[in-house]
């Protein structure tokens, strides 16, 4: 919100570090290599699922399915998700039989060729409509009367109507589940990315806690967190951070509220690395924690660990919700409605979701967050890790340091 | 405290009446914000949690949002009537239809953003609302948003100056031998510091030497070498309003060739800004800028030499050859008629300009673009 007078604090002094504190050991990004060009997700898995639905082709247009199908993270595709420059969206066309095709706006052609494993790249010229380019590629591939899967839960109805008009003989089916089921089990490369980005988010939050002092403004802690995400080579997302009563808001960002003794501090940290998301929540307290604060925090971690311990192949997602419900009750916390965690990867929230109704069976290679929450009087306690399901023990990917006790900002 | 209302109400109502609409339904994050003062990011990454606003002909607005967004929305929004639903329990469309029925709009002519609403939600809406006539209203919002209101102009001014200041700090600190990524880090950290954490939706590009030739290049580990040209771009939003700036620098004293091309690009850029006066037609502005570029001896194949900016970086009107819109006082443009010399470099400046009755006003006025910026 514009402050009174709308003044920018341009004279805060030098831009090296924040508040003059040293940022020891934060540069990790230098060693972080970009992924080698190559097929890091399993197109074969996607094609197998397409076979079950008898689809001749699927068209990926959401940022997450575009990366999954092509390896290409395009600036315009991310912007289009926010309704920005949406007429310039790219599309990856994966065929049941034949080589995939990538259509991009001409100015992104060089970048697409440099990063995608798809070699058949078709540039759309300035005033070409993406839907027309799509229709011509699909027709060229002999699919004018084909059965084509599109993302009906992402693509705007305006574009879908234009596409259907350009290809009156084709049928367009919803392929949202085909994509999301293909993405659920991560490849070794994807697991590596999820591991890196999870640690980046956990570390950035911990470093921000360590640099924070009573009397700091929320934004100064937020700035350190964001800065540390960038310095480790990932992209931050300004999302949710607040102290004291501000912790209770669903999605609120830091402002000039000053940290005072006894405030709890909540950071739901989000970071993105080559398209892969981290979603890690940590809590701190300003000064010494009260008995109540220390206890609620321990109970929340206990609930989380109990759910994590059950995250093994063969378990139903809904069973994990029931485990959390029992644990909440035993610990005397308010039961969290509907959701105790969610799949994570190229999408912040993806399948499986840990709800009472989700009948997806856990498999090795799934990455899932667990995020118990408890609302106390005027404040929220919330804790979240990212877990990899393996053949054996579940592995916490966001395990940067010991967080079994609430962190005290001194 | 709710934020000051940004909506250009008279224009929105005019457009609704012209299209004979009883209500307009916003589902995109930008038009939702425009009608209520809050942008809900979780509705973008998680489409189960669609955020919806309904604006009626008496200029009143009601919201339908996911339950966990209610507290923050009540704090930020000037809208008081807020309905909520819970993901996995009720679909946002079912919730919307309940509200429309309650408002007596179930048999009305309703506008919805067909260029944003997903095909699946549209099918659900049509099934649940068989007696209404649901038509596209994307252009209604587009047209209302063209002329910025006072609080919008103020936010755009702060966003433009803050972003320009962040670029200046990064340029002042940079030296040959630094990586592109380190320049980007300083720039982004400065944004946070300057705005005390209020800047968001940041993305950037720092392209040095040969990387300049790649459109939308981010920033990498390449070290800046003496003599390199560097193209910097920074996009960031303050109080939900977007600035997007391009600046050019050189590592060490520029050679004659770099200096001369920079000055040609700069002169074109300044001429393009000077033409931003009420009454000018955007297609003519495009032609004039293209002619300027081609006078320097390079050809121009781009589709755009500038665009309106606001809640989105690219809004209408865009400065392109097929748009006959006449510009008016109160429009805000990003002006960017760049020169691209294949195999050599791209000379790209971009500034934010407010159209006023007294002429164009430069909102991004921190970095002095008269001479090529020398780092180190």
């Amino acid at each position: 919100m514009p402050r009174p007078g709308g003044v920018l604090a341009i004279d805060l002094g030098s831009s090296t570090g924040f508040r003059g504190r040293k940022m020891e050991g934060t540069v990790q990004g230098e060693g972080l290599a970009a992924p080698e060009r190559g097929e890091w997700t399993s197109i074969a898995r996607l094609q197998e699922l397409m076979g079950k639905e008898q689809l001749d082709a699927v068209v990926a247009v959401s940022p997450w399915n575009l990366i999954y199908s092509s390896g290409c993270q395009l600036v315009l595709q991310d912007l289009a998700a926010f309704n920005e420059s949406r007429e310039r969206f790219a599309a990856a066309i994966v065929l049941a039989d034949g080589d995939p095709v990538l259509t991009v706006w001409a100015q992104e052609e060089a970048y697409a060729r440099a990063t995608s494993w798809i070699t058949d790249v078709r540039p759309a010229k300035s005033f070409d409509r993406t839907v027309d380019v799509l229709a011509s590629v699909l027709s060229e591939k002999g699919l004018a009367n084909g059965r084509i899967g599109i993302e009906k839960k992402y693509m705007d109805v305006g574009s879908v109507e234009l596409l259907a008009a350009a290809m009156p003989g084709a049928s367009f089916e919803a392929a949202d589940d085909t994509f999301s089921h293909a993405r659920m089990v991560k490849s070794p490369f994807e697991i590596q990315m999820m591991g890196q980005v999870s640690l980046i988010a956990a570390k950035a939050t911990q470093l921000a806690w360590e640099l924070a002092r009573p009397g700091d403004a929320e934004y100064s802690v937020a700035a350190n967190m964001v800065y540390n995400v960038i310095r480790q080579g990932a992209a931050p997302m300004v999302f949710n951070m607040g102290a004291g009563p501000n912790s209770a808001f669903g999605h609120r960002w830091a402002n000039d509220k000053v940290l005072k003794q006894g405030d709890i501090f909540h950071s739901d940290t989000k970071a993105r690395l080559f398209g892969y998301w981290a979603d890690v929540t940590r809590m701190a307290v300003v000064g010494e924690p009260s008995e109540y604060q220390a206890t609620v925090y321990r109970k929340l971690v206990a609930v989380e660990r109990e759910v994590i311990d059950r995250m093994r192949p063969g378990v139903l997602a809904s069973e994990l919700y029931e485990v959390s419900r029992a644990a909440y009750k035993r610990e005397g916390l308010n039961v969290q409605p509907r959701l105790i965690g969610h799949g994570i990867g190229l999408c912040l929230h993806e399948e499986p979701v840990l709800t009472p109704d989700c009948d997806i069976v856990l498999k090795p290679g799934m990455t899932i967050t667990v995020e118990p929450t408890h609302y106390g009087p005027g404040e929220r306690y919330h804790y979240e890790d990212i877990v990899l399901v393996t053949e054996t023990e579940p592995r916490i990917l966001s395990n940067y340091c010991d967080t079994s006790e609430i962190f005290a900002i001194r | 405290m709710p934020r000051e209302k940004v909506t250009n109400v008279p224009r929105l109502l005019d457009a609704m009446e012209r299209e004979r609409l009883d209500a307009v339904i916003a589902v995109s994050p930008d038009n939702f914000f425009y009608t209520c003062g809050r942008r809900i990011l979780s509705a973008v990454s998680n489409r189960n949690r669609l955020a919806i606003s309904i604006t009626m002909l008496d200029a009143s607005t009601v919201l339908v949002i996911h339950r966990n967004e209610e507290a923050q929305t009540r704090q930020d929004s000037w809208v008081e009537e807020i309905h909520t639903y819970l993901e996995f329990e009720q679909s946002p469309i079912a919730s919307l239809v309940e509200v429309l029925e309650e408002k007596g709009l179930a048999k009305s002519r309703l506008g919805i953003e067909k260029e944003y609403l997903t095909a699946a939600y549209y099918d659900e809406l049509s099934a649940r609302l068989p007696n209404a006539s649901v038509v596209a209203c994307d252009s209604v919002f587009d047209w209302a948003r063209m002329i910025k209101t006072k609080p919008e102009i103020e936010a755009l001014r702060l966003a433009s100056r803050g972003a320009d200041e962040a670029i200046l700090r990064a340029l002042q600190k940079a030296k040959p031998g630094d990586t592109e990524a380190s320049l980007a880090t300083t720039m982004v950290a400065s944004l946070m510091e300057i705005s005390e954490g209020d800047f968001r939706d940041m993305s950037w590009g720092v392209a040095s030497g040969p990387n300049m030739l790649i459109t939308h290049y981010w920033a990498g580990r390449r070290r800046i070498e003496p003599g390199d040209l560097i193209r910097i771009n920074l996009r960031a939003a303050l109080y939900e309003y977007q600035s997007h700036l391009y600046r050019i620098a050189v590592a060490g004293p520029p050679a004659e060739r770099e200096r001369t091309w920079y000055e040609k690009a700069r002169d074109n850029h300044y001429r393009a800004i000077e033409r931003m006066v009420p009454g000018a037609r955007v297609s003519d502005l495009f032609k004039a800028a293209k002619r300027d570029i081609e006078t320097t001896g390079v050809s121009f194949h781009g589709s755009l030499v500038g665009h309106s900016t606001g809640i989105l970086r690219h809004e209408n009107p865009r400065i392109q050859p097929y748009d006959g819109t006449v510009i008016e006082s109160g429009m805000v443009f990003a002006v960017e008629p760049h020169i691209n010399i294949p195999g050599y470099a791209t000379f790209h400046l971009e500034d934010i300009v407010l159209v006023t009755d007294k002429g164009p006003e430069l909102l991004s006025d921190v970095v002095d673009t008269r001479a090529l910026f020398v780092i180190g």
Side-chain angles (χ1 to χ4, degrees):
Chain A
M1 257 180 286
R3 298 206 174 87
V7 178
L8 281 175
I10 275 179
D11 302 321
L12 273 178
S14 117
S15 60
T16 52
F18 286 96
R19 302 288 172 268
R21 277 181 212 137
K22 286 182 81 176
M23 313 283 287
E24 300 285 354
T26 54
V27 181
Q28 184 182 318
E30 291 290 332
L32 199 63
E36 289 296 314
R37 177 179 167 140
E39 196 165 327
W40 72 65
T41 56
S42 175
I43 291 296
R45 168 85 181 135
L46 185 61
Q47 284 171 322
E48 184 193 320
L49 292 171
M50 285 164 64
K52 281 187 189 162
E53 302 293 325
Q54 295 170 313
L55 294 169
D56 299 316
V58 287
V59 180
V61 292
S62 62
W64 38 94
N65 286 328
L66 184 77
I67 297 172
Y68 187 82
S69 309
S70 73
C72 214
Q73 188 187 352
L74 297 171
V75 172
L76 290 180
Q77 210 72 6
D78 285 348
L79 290 179
F82 288 89
N83 204 23
E84 178 82 64
S85 299
R86 60 186 170 226
E87 69 280 10
R88 296 173 178 177
F89 66 87
I93 303 160
V94 178
L95 302 169
D97 187 20
D99 293 331
V101 181
L102 179 61
T103 70
V104 295
W105 184 53
Q107 288 210 29
E108 288 193 330
E109 182 186 354
Y111 195 73
R113 285 190 188 280
T115 56
S116 179
W117 58 72
I118 297 180
T119 50
D120 187 354
V121 178
R122 312 285 180 94
K125 291 192 294 293
S126 293
F127 296 95
D128 288 353
R129 288 190 315 201
T130 303
V131 285
D132 294 333
V133 179
L134 262 177
S136 82
V137 171
L138 289 166
S139 303
E140 173 198 315
K141 297 290 178 185
L143 300 178
N145 298 308
R147 197 173 141 83
I148 295 154
I150 58 172
E151 294 183 67
K152 284 200 170 177
K153 290 186 181 171
Y154 181 85
M155 213 169 170
D156 63 277
V157 62
S159 295
V160 174
E161 286 176 354
L162 290 172
L163 193 56
M167 297 181 67
S171 75
F172 293 93
E173 309 298 331
D176 305 86
D177 291 348
T178 305
F179 280 112
S180 74
H181 289 160
R183 293 205 327 263
M184 275 196 294
V185 174
K186 271 63 181 174
S187 71
F189 171 83
E190 293 184 291
I191 290 170
Q192 191 193 333
M193 284 300 109
M194 288 303 297
Q196 282 189 6
V197 74
S198 302
L199 270 185
I200 286 172
K203 183 175 178 180
T205 316
Q206 179 67 21
L207 290 170
W209 288 161
E210 287 172 9
L211 287 163
R213 299 288 179 270
D216 280 356
E218 283 177 352
Y219 68 76
S220 128
V221 186
N224 279 331
M225 186 277 282
V226 167
Y227 190 60
N228 278 306
V229 169
I230 298 169
R231 288 194 72 161
Q232 296 180 84
M237 184 182 181
V238 165
F239 195 74
N240 193 357
M241 187 185 262
N246 293 338
S247 65
F249 290 114
H251 298 134
R252 169 196 173 277
W253 186 237
N255 68 9
D256 51 3
K257 181 206 160 13
V258 167
L259 305 186
K260 60 179 206 313
Q261 297 289 333
D263 279 347
I264 61 159
F265 200 169
H266 166 253
S267 177
D268 185 348
T269 303
K270 312 232 188 282
R272 204 168 172 222
L273 184 68
F274 302 118
Y276 290 86
W277 284 98
D279 187 358
V280 177
T281 306
R282 294 289 182 259
M283 302 291 302
V285 61
V286 184
E288 296 307 313
S290 69
E291 187 56 33
Y292 174 79
Q293 289 168 328
T295 308
V296 172
Y297 180 84
R298 277 188 217 119
K299 287 177 170 181
L300 216 54
V301 175
V303 172
E304 193 224 36
R305 293 303 145 109
E306 196 166 327
V307 174
I308 291 175
D309 192 51
R310 294 286 296 276
M311 295 174 71
R312 291 159 196 267
V315 173
L316 282 174
S318 56
E319 282 177 51
L320 296 171
Y321 179 82
E322 295 309 326
V323 170
S324 79
R325 175 146 51 193
Y328 269 116
K329 282 197 174 140
R330 193 193 57 234
E331 300 289 348
L333 301 174
N334 302 327
V335 174
Q336 175 71 4
R338 312 300 293 175
L339 182 81
I340 184 68
H342 52 83
I344 184 165
L346 290 168
C347 237
L348 196 52
H349 281 218
E350 57 182 48
E351 298 285 2
V353 284
L354 307 187
T355 62
D357 313 320
C358 183
D359 59 1
I360 294 172
V361 176
L362 265 59
K363 288 185 186 154
M366 288 183 172
T367 48
I368 302 170
T369 75
V370 183
E371 49 170 333
T373 303
H374 171 78
Y375 284 88
E379 52 187 26
R380 174 174 50 156
Y381 293 79
H382 180 198
Y383 188 84
E384 183 176 25
D385 275 309
I386 299 175
V387 179
L388 170 69
V389 180
T390 77
E391 295 286 357
T392 56
E393 296 280 305
R395 187 145 62 87
I396 302 179
L397 298 178
S398 45
N399 191 16
Y400 168 66
C401 61
D402 180 13
T403 52
S404 54
E405 298 291 332
I406 193 164
F407 185 88
I409 294 172
R410 297 187 174 95
Chain B
M1 194 180 69
R3 68 176 290 159
E4 198 177 343
K5 194 167 184 172
V6 298
T7 328
N8 192 329
V9 175
R11 269 178 86 89
L12 185 61
L13 294 183
D14 274 2
M16 283 170 68
E17 277 163 20
R18 206 165 49 218
E19 302 291 329
R20 297 174 289 107
L21 295 170
D22 300 309
V24 282
I25 301 167
V27 286
S28 67
D30 45 310
N31 284 325
F32 178 83
F33 165 82
Y34 190 66
T35 48
C36 82
R38 174 143 202 262
R39 191 154 163 265
I40 294 185
L41 285 176
S42 61
V44 175
S45 52
N46 188 340
R47 308 260 161 157
N48 292 332
R49 301 184 185 174
L50 199 62
I52 307 168
S53 83
I54 307 158
T55 302
M56 289 155 277
L57 281 172
D58 61 0
S60 68
T61 297
V62 299
L63 306 181
V64 180
I65 59 175
H66 189 251
R67 192 186 293 170
N68 75 342
E69 297 290 355
E70 184 181 358
Q72 186 69 42
T73 305
R74 290 211 180 272
Q75 193 169 71
D76 291 355
S77 175
W78 58 77
V79 173
E80 281 165 11
E81 188 176 338
I82 299 175
H83 301 259
T84 65
Y85 62 88
L86 191 61
E87 178 187 22
F88 308 122
E89 206 169 80
Q90 189 179 26
S91 98
I93 298 297
S95 196
L96 165 68
V97 169
E98 276 176 18
V99 176
L100 290 171
E101 282 167 352
E102 184 192 313
K103 298 283 169 195
L105 292 168
K107 294 176 180 172
S108 301
R109 188 171 152 87
L110 304 171
I112 198 157
E113 291 182 82
K114 284 183 88 172
E115 291 178 18
Y116 188 86
L117 188 73
T118 65
Y121 279 145
Y122 181 79
D123 291 346
E124 186 185 340
L125 183 64
S126 307
R128 287 183 189 271
L129 214 55
N131 299 318
S133 143
V134 181
V135 299
C137 71
D138 308 80
S139 61
V140 168
F141 285 115
D142 253 26
W143 192 79
R145 280 165 53 182
M146 282 182 189
I147 307 284
K148 268 63 183 178
T149 57
K150 198 159 161 272
E152 292 190 289
I153 290 169
E154 192 52 25
L156 283 161
R157 188 190 307 277
L158 292 172
S160 305
R161 297 193 70 179
D164 211 12
E165 173 72 20
I167 295 175
L168 181 66
R169 289 186 188 186
L171 288 174
Q172 284 170 339
K173 200 186 160 198
K175 50 191 186 311
D178 287 353
T179 61
E180 294 169 343
S182 84
L183 206 157
T185 304
T186 312
M187 186 161 73
V188 176
S190 301
L191 269 183
M192 297 301 286
E193 193 174 56
I194 288 163
S195 65
E196 301 190 339
D198 281 344
F199 263 115
R200 51 193 69 186
D201 294 355
M202 295 166 277
S203 64
W204 55 86
V206 177
S208 66
N211 292 337
M212 262 191 136
L213 298 168
I214 303 174
T215 306
H216 298 161
Y217 179 82
W218 283 60
R221 305 291 163 212
R222 185 181 182 278
R223 291 191 184 279
I224 295 166
E225 292 169 17
D228 273 351
L229 284 167
I230 305 144
R231 184 187 65 207
I232 291 154
N233 80 86
L234 181 58
R235 314 179 183 95
L238 191 63
Y239 313 130
E240 311 301 352
Y241 283 82
Q242 299 279 351
S243 72
H244 184 192
L245 307 176
Y246 267 93
R247 300 285 179 243
I248 306 284
V250 62
E256 179 67 16
R257 188 187 185 200
E258 276 74 73
R259 198 180 51 76
T260 313
W261 274 112
Y262 179 80
E263 286 171 2
K264 286 180 187 172
R266 174 205 64 190
D267 291 345
N268 279 348
H269 183 66
Y270 287 178
R271 274 195 283 270
I273 292 174
E274 281 160 18
R275 292 188 195 109
M276 304 302 297
V277 292
R281 191 175 292 279
V282 291
S283 50
D284 293 339
L285 295 174
F286 179 89
K287 283 174 207 139
K290 182 173 157 73
R291 194 168 53 238
D292 281 347
I293 294 164
E294 292 181 338
T295 305
T296 66
V298 299
S299 54
F300 181 76
H301 305 290
S303 56
L304 206 64
V305 294
H307 49 85
S308 289
T309 189
I311 308 162
L312 294 180
R313 287 157 191 142
H314 286 215
E315 297 189 347
N316 283 323
R318 288 150 160 88
I319 308 178
Q320 51 108 316
Y322 306 117
D323 186 341
T325 307
V326 171
I327 70 174
E328 294 174 49
S329 181
M331 289 183 175
V332 176
F333 285 90
V335 179
E336 48 168 341
H338 51 286
I339 291 181
N340 180 21
I341 304 148
Y344 169 44
T346 301
F347 290 86
H348 190 170
L349 289 167
E350 181 167 354
D351 274 300
I352 310 296
V353 175
L354 166 68
V355 180
T356 79
D357 289 331
K358 291 177 198 146
E361 183 186 337
L362 185 66
L363 300 184
S364 45
D365 59 354
V366 180
V367 173
D368 184 351
T369 55
R370 284 175 297 183
L372 186 54
F373 194 101
V374 179
I375 68 163

